[in-house]
Amino acid sequence: MNHSSTLMWSEAHEAGQVVRRQYQENKVLMRDLGARLRAQRPRLVLTCARGSSDHAAGFAKYAIETRLGVLVASHAPSTSSIFGKPLSDLDGALFVVISQSGKSPDILTSIAFAKEAGAFVVAMVNDASSPAAKAADVFVPLYAGPELAVAATKSYIASLSAIVHLVAEWSEDTGLLAALEGAGDHISDAFARDWSKLGDALLQAKSLFVIGRGLTFGIAHEMALKLKETSALHAEAFSAAEVRHGPMAIVEAGFPVIMIAPMDEAAASFPALSEEFSARHARVFASGGPFPGAIDLPTQAGLHPLIAPLCQVSSFYACAEALARARGRNPDAPPWLNKVTETQ
């Protein structure tokens, strides 16, 4: 099985094209939504998502809080679906649902409770015919097209780009809109970047850390999940601000560490952290460097801070697909997993 024959490779390879299509198709929708949010002035944003979509929600938290100054919190869908606890006093709140399928029962229950509580519901969903898309006040299509591999790739990047588009229009950031217009090309370029040194290092690995911060914290969680899904690697994501606490105790000689640095002020702590990992003789790989003692993962320079994470995860997906095959696994169909998980 060569790389071009796997669904994961083909779908991840499409991500740049997906982002270009999404940006063009959603221009008017997002312009109107941005104007509506400026008029409504939401006092709070609640995100509602599962799995990879929740990692996109983590990106949304930092994108919205740093660009718009509006508090973002994560709603736990089980509080609605399992505990049946109605939400209250969400007048003036924005409820953002992020989902590939838009079919999970707990997400649908959460939407119903949020609307009953007075929230304005925006759903970023790939399936336009889904119940979540139909239940929302505003449906934002992801335009990723059919995604058949169990591991989400292009739909995840499409979720990130939809978030960036929302933030750009809401904040009337013309520079970010211009950066988003060219993001598809950068994502395609990133997919072709050679991260094979990382793949080689993880071939016999059993456990590793993925480090992010701010805009790349959710990206780190997504990368760790994909390594679990496709290569059966015990990968854990940590913030660069938190990993020095308890987690550092298990780092020893040869322990792999992937550092995904953001391209903004949050990157300031990464050089010292890389040096600390290296002093423990960990095998450190870094995107967004160079950092002391780390092996560089080629990443485009000069990207907008909100576009860079989309490119970093695109490069990673190509690496993760190759790593899974090298470890003798089928990245399209990890054991025990289904494409759509309908949680209650």
Side-chain angles (χ1 to χ4, degrees), residues 60-83:
K61 175 180 177 64
Y62 287 97
I64 293 171
E65 289 189 355
T66 60
R67 296 282 159 168
L68 288 148
V70 180
L71 180 65
V72 180
S74 174
H75 168 66
S78 61
T79 62
S80 297
S81 62
I82 293 178
F83 297 98

Side-chain angles (χ1 to χ4, degrees), residues 55 59 156 160 210 214-224 260 309-310 312-313:
H55 302 156
F59 172 82
Y156 176 73
L160 300 181
V210 188
L215 290 168
T216 63
F217 189 39
I219 307 303
H221 278 277
E222 168 64 7
M223 292 180 178
I260 307 297
L310 284 66
Q312 289 167 306
V313 78

Side-chain angles (χ1 to χ4, degrees), residues 4-269:
S4 61
S5 70
T6 69
L7 291 169
M8 181 180 177
W9 189 93
S10 298
E11 291 170 355
H13 183 258
E14 293 173 17
Q17 178 184 344
V18 167
V19 170
R20 285 190 288 271
R21 179 170 63 246
Q22 181 196 98
Y23 177 74
Q24 293 300 325
E25 294 290 343
N26 284 347
K27 272 186 174 180
V28 175
L29 170 68
M30 286 300 205
R31 189 177 304 129
D32 291 345
L33 180 55
R36 186 169 180 175
L37 292 174
R38 287 194 302 278
Q40 291 181 349
R41 301 182 65 182
R43 60 184 176 85
L44 169 70
V45 177
L46 285 176
T47 60
C48 182
R50 291 285 193 192
S52 289
S53 295
D54 196 40
H55 302 156
F59 172 82
K61 175 180 177 64
Y62 287 97
I64 293 171
E65 289 189 355
T66 60
R67 296 282 159 168
L68 288 148
V70 180
L71 180 65
V72 180
S74 174
H75 168 66
S78 61
T79 62
S80 297
S81 62
I82 293 178
F83 297 98
K85 187 68 175 177
L87 299 173
S88 61
D89 192 23
L90 291 184
D91 287 332
L94 170 63
F95 195 83
V96 179
V97 174
I98 306 171
S99 175
Q100 297 168 51
S101 71
K103 297 175 182 177
S104 192
D106 55 352
I107 299 294
L108 299 176
T109 302
S110 296
I111 292 174
F113 280 11
K115 293 184 77 171
E116 287 173 8
F120 175 56
V121 178
V122 171
M124 298 179 173
V125 182
N126 196 36
D127 184 352
S129 65
S130 67
K134 293 176 181 178
D137 294 305
V138 174
F139 163 52
V140 177
L142 297 182
Y143 288 109
E147 188 175 59
L148 302 178
V150 169
T153 54
K154 63 177 180 176
S155 65
Y156 176 73
I157 292 178
S159 299
L160 300 181
S161 62
I163 292 162
V164 174
H165 202 170
L166 173 65
V167 169
E169 288 291 1
W170 185 359
S171 62
E172 296 185 287
D173 187 335
T174 55
L176 181 54
L177 284 169
L180 185 57
E181 189 162 5
D185 292 338
H186 290 305
I187 291 165
S188 296
D189 176 72
F191 189 78
R193 298 272 167 153
D194 184 5
W195 283 25
S196 59
K197 289 182 179 179
L198 172 61
D200 293 343
L202 297 182
L203 191 57
Q204 302 300 325
K206 294 182 179 179
S207 183
L208 71 147
F209 287 167
V210 188
I211 310 299
R213 191 168 190 184
L215 290 168
T216 63
F217 189 39
I219 307 303
H221 278 277
E222 168 64 7
M223 292 180 178
L225 174 63
K226 286 298 181 286
L227 292 172
K228 294 184 184 85
E229 284 181 327
T230 61
S231 284
L233 267 166
H234 180 225
E236 294 298 329
F238 292 100
S239 163
E242 298 293 338
V243 73
R244 284 190 174 95
H245 299 175
M248 188 64 82
I250 71 171
V251 177
E252 55 187 19
F255 187 86
V257 177
I258 306 172
M259 302 180 69
I260 307 297
M263 296 191 180
D264 59 16
E265 298 90 332
S269 61

Side-chain angles (χ1 to χ4, degrees), residues 290-305:
F291 301 125
I295 296 169
D296 187 59
L297 298 174
T299 305
Q300 303 103 307
L303 294 171
H304 191 287

